[in-house]
Amino acid sequence: MLKMAIIAGFLGKTKDRFHEYNQAIDLEGKFKSLSEIEGYDGLELVYPYEVNDAEQVSQLMKKYGVSIAAINVNVKGEPEFKNGGVSSPNPDVRAKAVRFIKEAKDFAAAVGADKVTCCPLGDGYEFSFQVDYNEYWTNLVESFREAGRYNPDMPLFIEYKPSETRGKCFVNDTAKTILLLNQVDAPNMGITLDFGHSIYGNENPSEAALLVHNSPYKLYVHINDNDARWDWDFFAGSKHLLEYIEFMYYLRKIGYTDYLTSDTSPTRWPIRDTFEINSRLTNKVWNLLESIDEKKLEQLIHGDDYMKTWKFIEENLLGLK
């Protein structure tokens, strides 16, 4: 079985602009719910809003046999962060955002987590002539440098997203995230690759994973799917099944062994069923890839006749014989 986790917030009440879905549950309820969903043993928890008591989390981990895939630090929720946190021209705002990341690192260490992940969604812009790009980017680099060099034994991962909460996020694709971390120049940095963010950002998630693998930075993966027009957080494989199979193929090739964390929002569909699809499908795909003639597929990929490659896909990956 693969190492599978869920972002804890999706186990309770969620909402969009018009509706609320499912019931609110407390932190222990999320641990209990996770422990009852087949295929999972990990949670990604949001600091400081969802968790801030390390002793409580440690006790719940022991009680329910749950591990922590990552501590996700929120640097967008405070009122001061509405126009940007880590990139803000206001040094007090930047200092608060950096403090949140440092505290999240300490919290992660206290509960035995092996990473902190941060998605700077409030850092971006909407319009021409709205921001001084150089100033904001410089602030972004300096903030993550300070946060990254703090408690360097605790890895800090940066998650990119094309947009939301800003019309255009500063950290919006794989290559730009690698550029950011090159300039940050801090130890133990990584990139959180969200399959859906990559899809609706017009990337190929497989190529993105290889870019990270061939960089100096660690890789952590969120799984979901969407229609390539917005980040709907549908269950894995629901819109881009073949791309998801290819993604798993390359994760296997690069030796990925960390958690595959469901960043998937059940909304109108039962919570347990939605997440069990992610686990069931992903494990089936992984096992399928173990059973195929990988050398033959590699030869086809390196060849020049894609029609033969497609026939192999039909017969061996889609089961159309």
Side-chain angles (χ1 to χ4, degrees), residues 2 11 45 76 79 84-86 98 105 135 144 157 162 171 194 213 221 264 290 294:
L2 298 169
L11 293 169
L45 300 168
K76 63 182 183 297
V86 286
V98 171
K105 281 189 158 192
E135 176 188 14
F144 280 127
F157 286 66
V171 188
D194 181 293
H213 176 68
V221 171
T264 301
E290 285 185 344
E294 189 171 344

Side-chain angles (χ1 to χ4, degrees), residues 4 18 23 57 82 95 99 113 122 141 164 169 271 274 290 312:
M4 305 287 293
F18 304 107
Q23 300 300 312
V57 170
K82 67 180 181 180
R99 174 169 61 82
V141 170
E164 193 195 30
C169 294
I271 291 174
T274 297
E290 285 185 344
F312 183 96

Side-chain angles (χ1 to χ4, degrees), residues 44 70-76 86 97 100-101 104 115-121 123 140 144 147 155-161 171 177 180 189-192 220 222:
E44 182 174 310
I71 297 299
N72 187 322
V73 57
N74 187 320
V75 293
K76 63 182 183 297
V86 286
F100 275 25
I101 302 173
K115 72 178 75 64
V116 169
T117 184
C118 179
C119 191
L121 299 180
D123 294 276
L140 194 72
F144 280 127
L156 174 61
F157 286 66
I158 308 302
E159 179 179 1
Y160 65 89
K161 187 171 185 177
V171 188
T177 311
L180 170 68
M189 301 294 289
I191 294 173
T192 299
Y220 172 52
H222 284 172

